[in-house]
Amino acid sequence: MTERNENNEQIASSNLMADQEVHVQQESTPANKTVDDDGVKKVHFAGFWMRFWAYLADLLVIGSLNRILIHPIFKFYEGTDDLWFSAEGFLTGVVFFLYFVLMTKFLNQTLGKMIFGLKVVALKEEKKTISWGTILFRELIGRYISKVTWIGYLLAGLLPKKQALHDVFADTGVVLIRR
């Protein structure tokens, strides 16, 4: 005997208990392509706290990368540069921005976003991948402004699409892909 799940796919009922739910992995779609049964666009944007915890996880990853790749190079260097203008500070900043740019471009999410089931989507672009221009603008210019002003990140808790300032600039959003 077979039954149909919520996506109208056949499943064997002999493998199911009465109370057990069936989770079918759905392919993720851009925010403008997610549609419910009534034909209405349905998107769940990630709020401030989900994005905050994902960002903290990303900072742990970046800090670990810097400790493995950058800091050993300068361990025995006894320069008089302060950390802000030193070569070590510059390279850790490069690792920070490269991490966000490359992960967002090729996977549409960073490791922190993967952990919490979040994904970056372009709100106006029709393609599945976000363009290089949008990514560079979002991650380099927009994130720099958000990082300097900090109010840019708080906007994710206030705006209707839960966009941070760098999302507003690049016309992107962060959506929940696990529900």
Side-chain angles (χ1 to χ4, degrees):
M1 182 168 142
T2 60
E3 294 179 6
R4 298 212 174 253
N5 64 5
E6 60 203 26
N7 294 331
N8 206 21
E9 297 172 349
Q10 284 189 341
I11 53 174
S13 63
S14 61
N15 295 336
L16 300 177
M17 301 174 122
D19 298 340
Q20 186 179 12
E21 286 186 36
V22 177
H23 297 284
V24 177
Q25 186 172 356
Q26 301 173 357
E27 65 177 291
S28 56
T29 57
N32 56 359
K33 297 289 185 183
T34 306
V35 179
D36 66 3
D37 294 337
D38 299 328
V40 177
K41 292 180 184 177
K42 185 177 181 182
V43 174
H44 299 284
F45 289 97
F48 172 79
W49 288 109
M50 289 290 287
R51 294 176 66 159
F52 174 76
W53 294 116
Y55 184 67
L56 284 182
D58 287 331
L59 290 181
L60 284 173
V61 171
I62 293 167
S64 299
L65 286 173
N66 285 332
R67 294 282 181 204
I68 292 169
L69 301 173
I70 305 300
H71 293 302
I73 297 170
F74 295 96
K75 183 175 183 176
F76 300 107
Y77 174 71
E78 294 183 22
T80 58
D81 300 335
D82 60 353
L83 188 60
W84 182 255
F85 294 108
S86 67
E88 184 178 10
F90 175 76
L91 289 176
T92 56
V94 168
V95 169
F96 178 86
F97 285 112
L98 278 178
Y99 171 80
F100 281 104
V101 167
L102 295 177
M103 292 290 290
T104 305
K105 174 58 183 164
F106 293 115
L107 301 174
N108 287 3
Q109 54 191 163
T110 59
L111 290 174
K113 287 181 178 72
M114 286 179 198
I115 292 169
F116 289 94
L118 307 176
K119 192 169 201 170
V120 178
V121 294
L123 297 179
K124 300 242 175 163
E125 293 180 15
E126 294 294 323
K127 298 175 280 189
K128 187 175 182 178
T129 60
I130 304 171
S131 70
W132 274 107
T134 302
I135 293 291
L136 291 174
F137 190 75
R138 178 185 194 271
E139 297 298 339
L140 295 177
I141 297 167
R143 190 174 292 274
Y144 177 76
I145 292 170
S146 289
K147 192 169 173 90
V148 169
T149 61
W150 287 103
I151 189 75
Y153 288 118
L154 296 177
L155 287 177
L158 303 174
L159 294 177
K161 292 182 183 175
K162 300 180 182 177
Q163 294 173 295
L165 191 59
H166 56 277
D167 290 317
V168 172
F169 288 159
D171 204 20
T172 58
V174 178
V175 296
L176 293 168
I177 55 175
R178 277 193 271 173
R179 267 259 158 188

